[in-house]
Amino acid sequence: IKDLKIVVLNRWGNVVFESDKIDFKWNGKLNNTGDNCVDGTYLYKITIKNYLNQKETVHGFIQLSRGQ
């Protein structure tokens, strides 16, 4: 992987996290520093570029559950 961009969206389409770091970590908070995101389903979209400059975009869902 040469470049990576991830975006995590809530159910209303608002961005709650984004990063261009290959070793990214989302801690379930708004932009990793704000308020806790509510339990629920979030959409992620990752765009990857390899060293041949080929791009691939994948997406899926994350279920956030704090169990409190």
Side-chain angles (χ1 to χ4, degrees):
I1 296 174
K2 179 180 177 183
D3 292 311
L4 176 142
K5 175 159 177 130
I6 181 167
V7 177
V8 179
L9 305 152
N10 65 13
R11 66 189 308 175
W12 299 279
N14 299 319
V15 174
V16 295
F17 175 77
E18 58 186 328
S19 178
D20 58 2
K21 296 187 179 352
I22 293 173
D23 62 345
F24 73 90
K25 294 180 182 164
W26 179 45
N27 63 9
K29 293 184 177 187
L30 186 59
N31 294 316
N32 275 358
T33 58
D35 294 333
N36 284 338
C37 293
V38 299
D39 289 3
T41 303
Y42 293 80
L43 170 72
Y44 69 85
K45 179 179 174 185
I46 301 174
T47 304
I48 300 166
K49 187 192 300 184
N50 66 21
Y51 283 98
L52 300 174
N53 285 324
Q54 298 166 323
K55 276 187 171 181
E56 182 177 354
T57 300
V58 296
H59 62 279
F61 299 96
I62 303 166
Q63 184 67 38
L64 179 63
S65 176
R66 298 185 185 281
Q68 295 178 356

